[in-house]
Amino acid sequence: MAIDPGSIFSKLGAFTSDHDSVVSMNLFVALLCACIVIGHLLEENRWMNESITALAIGLCTGVVILLTTGGKSSHLLVFSEDLFFIYLLPPIIFNAGFQVKKKQFFRNFMTIMLFGAVGTLISFGIISSGAKYIFEVLNFHQLDIGDYLAIGAIFSATDSVCTLQVLNQDETPLLYSLVFGEGVVNDATSVVLFNAIQNFDLSHINSSIALQFAGNFLYLFILSTLLGVLTGLLSAYIIRKLYFGRHSTDREVALMILMAYMSYMLAELFYLSGILTVFFCGIVMSHYTWHNVTESSRVTTKHTFATLSFVAEIFIFLYVGMDALDIERWSVVSNSPKISLQFSSILLGLVLIGRAAFVFLLSFLSNLTKKSAHEKVNIRQQVIIWWAGLMRGAVSMALAYNKFALSETKDRKNAFMITSTITVVLFSTVVFGLMTKPLIRLLLPSPKHLVRMASSEPTSPKSFIVPLLGNGQATESNQSVPRPSSLRMLLTTPTNTVHYYWRKFDNGFMRPVFGGRGFVPFVPGSPTDRSNHQWQ
Amino acid sequence: MAIDPGSIFSKLGAFTSDHDSVVSMNLFVALLCACIVIGHLLEENRWMNESITALAIGLCTGVVILLTTGGKSSHLLVFSEDLFFIYLLPPIIFNAGFQVKKKQFFRNFMTIMLFGAVGTLISFGIISSGAKYIFEVLNFHQLDIGDYLAIGAIFSATDSVCTLQVLNQDETPLLYSLVFGEGVVNDATSVVLFNAIQNFDLSHINSSIALQFAGNFLYLFILSTLLGVLTGLLSAYIIRKLYFGRHSTDREVALMILMAYMSYMLAELFYLSGILTVFFCGIVMSHYTWHNVTESSRVTTKHTFATLSFVAEIFIFLYVGMDALDIERWSVVSNSPKISLQFSSILLGLVLIGRAAFVFLLSFLSNLTKKSAHEKVNIRQQVIIWWAGLMRGAVSMALAYNKFALSETKDRKNAFMITSTITVVLFSTVVFGLMTKPLIRLLLPSPKHLVRMASSEPTSPKSFIVPLLGNGQATESNQSVPRPSSLRMLLTTPTNTVHYYWRKFDNGFMRPVFGGRGFVPFVPGSPTDRSNHQWQ
């Protein structure tokens, strides 16, 4: 009879052995909800965006936890690289590929590749050599050549997540596709570069190793892209052949999500770049697979992918905010705040210069190849491209942890590098991020008339919901009016000729096999047969 | 220059340190896809269902892994209780609550509670005392009283997941709501019972402890339900007040998913029953929150929840299939296959008897309170209720692991209990599962005319897609014709009078505050104002 009712209540029902982790998860989920609600309330604010809100909430929570635990800890969950690279990054990059305006993306494909691959290499070179030169002038000799190269790779990775929230795909399609496409290629390049640096023998660099390195990069890039395209086509083929929607929408949705995820994991399996693979898988899925599923599956997948990506983004920024206050790191650095500040401002300066160098140089080169004036990137747009890619985010953090966090508390050098990375990430996201919206408004006073291109894709996932809710037929026939002119436009430049032959091939062979707009069976009256009439 | 290109390729790009886990995840995701495709191809088969397919694929894969690893291991992932109770079970139970036909569920609420709570206790008593009696007759004295009670709890937990796949909500709404509702309450009761047994001092059981135990159970049940209802209402209130859809569908979807999950985690935090909480949260969300979001959010959430639940189910069965072949356990038992077989058949027999006892007894009692003949549960339906709840699944496995797996390889008794549980789960799922579809067809030759009740809810998530795709208005007006008769029906029995006053309260107070069908702003022309006209 010596049983205390209170203790009984506390023992019944609950299953998890580790109650602390349940408390953490509750708090974290509650914070995610708070970010969504506050982000919604600040929607109209001309300065804020969701990333900054999440960062700020993360910082505040970090302070509260720091105070309640008596300065012992500032974060709720243990952030692992695996969590970031296996669970949070894939949905973000996949969704980016899935929602990207394919026509814009492929029309500017060469420019995007130039900015993403060559630009990142230029930025990497400037930041690495700049850091080496300045740190040695400042008599800070603790870093070796591998560390400088790693710094170059870490700070070359722009935060494409943050960029997406600042630019609007519908208002500035050209800028969006350039900045965003570059961001994805940039992420992949940085990660590949970083891994290469970790594994190559850096004591004697010569031209042969550099050539080998370039070869490897090309090999990785092509194979990763191919893998993504193949997985996407496989999903399209399976769903088209078996026609799941007849029995169950859930099977279609589950299969699309699982195969998208599998493309990323397959790339990891073959030591390829999962980021590139899942991005191209997203593009192929939105071009073929998405058109093979039922109406409700389309709405569901479109919003599910967007939601997953959205939550993953908030998760990352919330965590980065909390993690910024890790007391152990700052206590090592706090003895010499001046050096720490110097470090961070030098790195920020190098980031600014590195990006400026390649954006203006490569824009100039890219403009030389373009004939029509409206396809050239003017100086205002160049400034925006430069500015929108200045933010450093979760990829930089993850790479910095990977390089410097292993023996961190022991080593003063490592504590310096981690805290500098945090400072650069926080400063660039908050300060640069806050200024981006006003800057765009200043440089592009009425973006709708300045940059909007002739045609957008009316049945891409992004704009699908309008014909569903409104009077679909009317919208469709309105939008198909400017088509003939865009057809003429297609034939004026060589890139567009490639695009023209691709569309012929796509309509003649790919769509009949893999489905896609205009080749979906059994859905009479759907607004997707127009592309047929156009090309027949 | 001593760099091997092959090794460079294998080092670039990939990030996960543990390459084995990448291989496992790839295989597991591929198997999930295979289950979906094969399940789809076997859809028309009158014997198979998705659970059995997943179990079979899991078993086959287990054999293959066993052969390739040379008999060392048979599974790809380490199954943890946490994985099951924190990630896989919540979406399944939430979706069940979200998609359940609320009218049927609440009309049969007392019967469901009788079956779920009292029935589980009867079954628990019969299995515990039966096992104790028979095992002692067979001179197997290694189990103590706590073990016997645990066996009772483990084998009282029916597999509501498998049941869902066998019964059809639209064809047999009464049976579905009884069997399924009972399954959820049963799961909760078994888990609560099991925890209580683990924690109570079992050496001296007396009436006072029994009373205390009953009190705790009631306390847990009521508080868990309340928590679920409150979280659901909170989500409805937030989404209604802030009207997220104006800016972003993704925010609505993210918030619904996060708050649903939070209800489960909150219950775990307060040591309540997460299963009950998330089930009632699902019901409230489908009644209020779901009607406050935009059209595309509705389609998305409906299918996302169903898909999550679907994948979690397949995941569980796939794992159970693989895990069944764990070679270590069977090697302990293999010395005495006769005892092992005896054990399993005794437990199977007790499961059959335990369920038969309470289904027929409680159906008789329940029928006494019903006046109209068509509300009574006839003998054919009783047989189906008995049969459909015979399957034992993942909850039994998880409880058995929790009780017997800690010192398993050392202890012969524990190995026996685990292998017996696996045998019972496999046998009941495969054999009983295979026979359920034919049995229902035999007992209910034309279920559409036999069991279908007067009214179903036309705008519940389950049947939402029909008015969306087809001619919505026509369908609606057809279905509202039999309403007056169902109104008269409502007033004939006391339970229905409660229901009538609840609807008055719901329309007068709850819906204006929390939204819900008929109280959604800014969506003119939606088929949801009918309930208004009906009650004004």
Side-chain angles (χ1 to χ4, degrees):
Chain A
M1 280 314 299
I3 296 171
D4 169 29
S7 77
I8 298 161
F9 292 165
S10 73
K11 279 172 185 167
L12 292 169
F15 230 93
T16 355
S17 41
D18 186 6
H19 198 251
D20 284 348
S21 73
V22 174
V23 176
S24 306
M25 284 188 76
N26 264 301
L27 259 170
F28 210 88
V29 175
L31 284 174
L32 284 175
C33 291
C35 285
I36 295 173
V37 171
I38 294 170
H40 170 74
L41 294 174
L42 294 175
E43 175 99 21
E44 299 300 323
N45 190 299
R46 59 177 288 176
W47 301 88
M48 296 298 277
N49 63 49
E50 216 103 36
S51 310
I52 299 173
T53 313
L55 259 183
I57 291 176
L59 277 170
C60 296
T61 319
V63 171
V64 172
I65 299 172
L66 212 58
L67 293 176
T68 49
T69 58
K72 274 179 195 159
S73 162
S74 70
H75 35 81
L76 296 166
L77 297 174
V78 180
F79 189 76
S80 71
E81 257 179 78
D82 280 1
L83 176 73
F84 177 70
F85 278 103
I86 294 191
Y87 299 109
L88 298 175
L89 198 56
I92 296 175
I93 303 292
F94 176 82
N95 182 57
F98 195 73
Q99 316 265 9
V100 81
K101 282 196 193 300
K102 292 177 291 293
K103 194 169 286 176
Q104 279 291 340
F105 182 80
F106 286 110
R107 187 170 290 167
N108 300 304
F109 191 72
M110 289 316 293
T111 316
I112 288 168
M113 288 307 302
L114 205 66
F115 277 53
V118 181
T120 305
L121 287 174
I122 293 174
S123 168
F124 161 74
I126 289 174
I127 294 172
S128 293
S129 52
K132 187 172 186 325
Y133 177 76
I134 299 173
F135 286 1
E136 277 173 5
V137 165
L138 290 171
N139 274 321
F140 191 85
H141 294 290
Q142 293 177 26
L143 299 170
D144 58 24
I145 176 81
D147 291 333
Y148 287 118
L149 292 176
I151 289 173
I154 289 168
F155 291 101
S156 296
T158 65
D159 185 7
S160 43
V161 175
C162 204
T163 308
L164 290 179
Q165 298 187 340
V166 168
L167 290 172
N168 188 318
Q169 181 160 227
D170 296 311
E171 285 176 8
T172 53
L174 173 66
L175 278 182
Y176 181 92
S177 69
L178 279 182
V179 172
F180 168 67
E182 182 230 312
V184 172
V185 181
N186 170 300
D187 277 356
T189 313
S190 313
V191 173
V192 171
L193 258 177
F194 182 80
N195 281 302
I197 290 158
Q198 301 272 70
N199 297 309
F200 267 81
D201 181 12
L202 296 158
S203 49
H204 33 76
I205 298 175
N206 58 28
S207 62
S208 164
I209 290 185
L211 210 71
Q212 219 177 19
F213 184 76
N216 290 344
F217 179 73
L218 219 66
Y219 162 90
L220 268 181
F221 190 89
I222 293 171
L223 250 68
S224 303
T225 307
L226 267 182
L227 181 65
V229 171
L230 284 179
T231 324
L233 287 179
L234 183 68
S235 76
Y237 189 77
I238 290 176
I239 288 179
R240 184 177 157 83
K241 277 293 149 194
L242 297 179
Y243 199 48
F244 285 90
R246 202 174 6 146
H247 296 301
S248 157
T249 293
D250 306 333
R251 283 209 189 98
E252 290 180 338
V253 177
L255 208 64
M256 276 180 82
I257 294 174
L258 287 173
M259 290 205 67
Y261 191 67
M262 201 163 77
S263 77
Y264 188 87
M265 292 311 290
L266 274 175
E268 295 284 312
L269 182 69
F270 298 133
Y271 301 99
L272 300 171
S273 163
I275 296 175
L276 275 176
T277 305
V278 81
F279 178 71
F280 281 97
C281 181
I283 291 181
V284 171
M285 276 202 174
S286 80
H287 191 64
Y288 297 111
T289 320
W290 191 73
H291 293 279
N292 295 346
V293 299
T294 59
E295 208 88 345
S296 46
S297 295
R298 285 185 217 179
V299 179
T300 305
T301 47
K302 176 188 175 300
H303 288 294
T304 304
F305 291 141
T307 306
L308 281 176
S309 161
F310 174 70
V311 174
E313 284 167 26
I314 297 181
F315 190 103
I316 290 170
F317 283 103
L318 198 55
Y319 184 83
V320 169
M322 273 185 214
D323 198 62
L325 294 167
D326 193 316
I327 206 77
E328 268 186 51
R329 286 178 201 130
W330 292 105
S331 64
V332 176
V333 180
S334 60
N335 306 326
S336 42
K338 204 184 142 207
I339 298 182
S340 175
L341 205 67
Q342 254 180 349
F343 257 55
S344 309
S345 23
I346 290 165
L347 290 169
L348 262 173
L350 288 171
V351 164
L352 283 163
I353 296 166
R355 190 166 176 85
F358 84 79
V359 168
F360 296 111
L361 177 71
L362 296 177
S363 298
F364 176 73
L365 291 178
S366 161
N367 283 345
L368 290 182
T369 66
K370 300 275 167 74
K371 277 163 192 162
S372 60
H374 76 112
E375 277 198 334
K376 290 188 180 178
V377 182
N378 67 35
I379 188 74
R380 281 159 182 255
Q381 291 172 332
Q382 288 176 27
V383 172
I384 290 175
I385 292 174
W386 170 63
W387 190 266
L390 283 177
M391 285 160 270
R392 296 294 172 267
V395 174
S396 296
M397 293 287 284
L399 293 178
Y401 281 136
N402 181 272
K403 174 75 186 173
F404 296 110
L406 288 173
S407 53
E408 177 202 337
T409 39
K410 285 181 236 157
D411 198 347
R412 200 157 155 269
K413 170 190 87 175
N414 288 348
F416 267 112
M417 288 318 304
I418 295 276
T419 50
S420 303
T421 311
I422 292 171
T423 313
V424 171
V425 167
L426 283 184
F427 187 85
S428 66
T429 307
V430 175
V431 178
F432 296 167
L434 281 176
M435 287 164 70
T436 310
K437 268 191 192 177
L439 184 81
I440 291 175
R441 256 176 245 188
L442 185 75
L443 291 176
L444 304 172
S446 175
K448 302 211 183 210
H449 307 291
L450 252 176
V451 205
R452 177 163 278 183
M453 300 297 275
S455 67
S456 60
E457 283 164 314
T459 54
S460 83
K462 198 82 189 180
S463 57
F464 173 70
I465 205 64
V466 180
L468 183 79
L469 288 177
N471 190 341
Q473 277 325 104
T475 323
E476 287 304 314
S477 52
N478 279 343
Q479 289 198 341
S480 61
V481 172
R483 282 273 162 160
S485 74
S486 81
L487 180 65
R488 246 178 284 128
M489 233 174 66
L490 276 177
L491 299 164
T492 48
T493 52
T495 327
N496 292 338
T497 318
V498 173
H499 189 239
Y500 171 76
Y501 283 111
W502 158 247
R503 297 230 29 186
K504 278 199 91 151
F505 174 67
D506 192 25
N507 285 296
F509 175 72
M510 297 296 277
R511 288 189 187 181
V513 176
F514 297 108
R517 189 145 50 100
F519 284 86
V520 188
F522 312 120
V523 191
S526 84
T528 50
D529 344 311
R530 210 187 55 258
S531 58
N532 257 338
H533 299 301
Q534 199 180 342
W535 295 106
Q536 271 164 8
Chain B
M1 281 313 301
I3 298 170
D4 169 30
S7 76
I8 299 160
F9 293 166
S10 72
K11 278 171 184 168
L12 292 169
F15 230 94
T16 355
S17 41
D18 187 5
H19 198 249
D20 284 348
S21 73
V22 174
V23 176
S24 306
M25 283 189 77
N26 264 301
L27 259 170
F28 209 87
V29 175
L31 284 174
L32 284 175
C33 292
C35 285
I36 294 172
V37 171
I38 295 170
H40 169 76
L41 294 174
L42 293 175
E43 175 100 23
E44 300 299 323
N45 190 299
R46 59 176 289 173
W47 301 88
M48 296 299 277
N49 62 49
E50 217 104 33
S51 312
I52 299 173
T53 313
L55 259 183
I57 292 176
L59 277 170
C60 295
T61 319
V63 171
V64 172
I65 299 172
L66 212 57
L67 292 175
T68 49
T69 59
K72 274 178 195 159
S73 163
S74 70
H75 34 80
L76 297 166
L77 298 173
V78 180
F79 189 77
S80 70
E81 257 178 79
D82 280 2
L83 177 73
F84 177 70
F85 279 103
I86 294 192
Y87 299 108
L88 298 174
L89 197 57
I92 297 175
I93 303 292
F94 176 82
N95 182 57
F98 196 73
Q99 317 265 9
V100 81
K101 284 196 191 298
K102 291 178 290 294
K103 195 169 284 175
Q104 279 290 340
F105 182 80
F106 285 110
R107 188 171 289 166
N108 301 304
F109 192 70
M110 289 314 294
T111 316
I112 287 168
M113 288 307 303
L114 205 66
F115 277 53
V118 181
T120 305
L121 287 174
I122 293 174
S123 168
F124 161 73
I126 289 174
I127 294 173
S128 293
S129 53
K132 188 172 184 325
Y133 178 77
I134 298 173
F135 285 1
E136 278 174 2
V137 164
L138 289 171
N139 274 320
F140 191 85
H141 294 289
Q142 294 177 26
L143 300 170
D144 58 24
I145 177 80
D147 292 332
Y148 286 118
L149 293 175
I151 289 173
I154 290 168
F155 290 102
S156 296
T158 65
D159 185 7
S160 43
V161 174
C162 204
T163 308
L164 291 179
Q165 299 188 340
V166 168
L167 289 172
N168 188 316
Q169 181 160 228
D170 296 309
E171 283 176 8
T172 53
L174 173 66
L175 279 182
Y176 181 90
S177 68
L178 280 183
V179 171
F180 170 68
E182 183 229 310
V184 172
V185 181
N186 169 303
D187 277 355
T189 314
S190 313
V191 174
V192 171
L193 258 176
F194 183 80
N195 282 303
I197 291 158
Q198 301 272 70
N199 297 310
F200 267 81
D201 181 12
L202 296 159
S203 49
H204 33 75
I205 297 173
N206 58 28
S207 61
S208 163
I209 290 185
L211 210 70
Q212 218 177 19
F213 184 77
N216 291 344
F217 179 74
L218 220 65
Y219 162 91
L220 268 181
F221 190 89
I222 293 170
L223 250 68
S224 303
T225 307
L226 267 182
L227 181 65
V229 171
L230 284 178
T231 324
L233 287 179
L234 183 68
S235 77
Y237 189 78
I238 289 176
I239 287 179
R240 185 177 156 82
K241 277 293 148 197
L242 297 179
Y243 197 49
F244 284 89
R246 201 174 7 147
H247 296 301
S248 156
T249 293
D250 306 332
R251 284 210 188 100
E252 289 180 338
V253 177
L255 208 63
M256 276 181 81
I257 294 174
L258 287 173
M259 290 204 69
Y261 191 66
M262 202 163 77
S263 77
Y264 188 87
M265 292 312 290
L266 275 176
E268 294 285 311
L269 182 69
F270 299 132
Y271 300 99
L272 299 171
S273 163
I275 297 174
L276 275 176
T277 304
V278 81
F279 178 71
F280 280 98
C281 181
I283 291 180
V284 172
M285 275 202 175
S286 81
H287 191 62
Y288 297 111
T289 320
W290 193 73
H291 293 280
N292 295 346
V293 298
T294 59
E295 208 87 345
S296 47
S297 295
R298 285 185 218 180
V299 179
T300 306
T301 47
K302 175 187 176 303
H303 288 295
T304 304
F305 291 141
T307 305
L308 281 176
S309 161
F310 173 69
V311 174
E313 283 166 27
I314 297 182
F315 190 103
I316 290 170
F317 282 103
L318 198 55
Y319 184 82
V320 169
M322 274 184 215
D323 198 62
L325 292 168
D326 194 318
I327 206 75
E328 269 186 50
R329 286 177 199 131
W330 291 105
S331 64
V332 177
V333 180
S334 61
N335 306 326
S336 42
K338 207 185 139 203
I339 298 181
S340 176
L341 205 67
Q342 254 181 348
F343 256 57
S344 309
S345 22
I346 290 166
L347 289 170
L348 261 173
L350 287 170
V351 165
L352 283 162
I353 296 167
R355 188 162 178 89
F358 84 79
V359 168
F360 295 111
L361 177 71
L362 296 177
S363 298
F364 176 73
L365 291 177
S366 160
N367 282 345
L368 289 181
T369 65
K370 301 275 168 74
K371 278 163 193 164
S372 62
H374 76 112
E375 278 199 334
K376 290 187 181 179
V377 183
N378 67 35
I379 187 75
R380 282 159 181 254
Q381 290 171 332
Q382 288 174 28
V383 172
I384 289 175
I385 292 173
W386 170 63
W387 190 265
L390 283 178
M391 286 160 268
R392 296 294 172 268
V395 174
S396 297
M397 293 286 284
L399 294 177
Y401 281 136
N402 181 272
K403 175 74 186 174
F404 296 111
L406 289 173
S407 53
E408 177 201 337
T409 39
K410 286 181 235 156
D411 199 348
R412 202 160 153 268
K413 170 191 87 175
N414 288 349
F416 266 113
M417 289 318 303
I418 295 276
T419 49
S420 303
T421 310
I422 292 172
T423 314
V424 171
V425 166
L426 283 185
F427 187 85
S428 65
T429 307
V430 175
V431 178
F432 295 168
L434 280 176
M435 287 163 70
T436 309
K437 268 192 192 175
L439 184 80
I440 291 175
R441 256 175 243 188
L442 186 76
L443 291 176
L444 305 172
S446 177
K448 303 213 182 207
H449 306 291
L450 252 176
V451 206
R452 174 162 281 182
M453 302 296 276
S455 68
S456 60
E457 284 164 312
T459 53
S460 83
K462 197 82 186 180
S463 56
F464 172 70
I465 205 66
V466 179
L468 183 79
L469 287 177
N471 191 338
Q473 280 323 104
T475 323
E476 288 304 314
S477 53
N478 278 344
Q479 291 199 340
S480 61
V481 172
R483 283 272 162 160
S485 75
S486 82
L487 180 64
R488 245 177 284 128
M489 233 176 65
L490 275 177
L491 300 165
T492 50
T493 53
T495 327
N496 291 338
T497 318
V498 173
H499 189 238
Y500 171 76
Y501 283 110
W502 157 247
R503 299 237 18 193
K504 278 198 91 149
F505 174 68
D506 192 24
N507 285 294
F509 174 73
M510 297 296 277
R511 288 190 188 181
V513 177
F514 297 107
R517 190 144 51 99
F519 283 86
V520 188
F522 312 118
V523 190
S526 85
T528 52
D529 344 308
R530 208 189 56 258
S531 56
N532 257 339
H533 300 300
Q534 198 182 344
W535 295 107
Q536 271 164 7

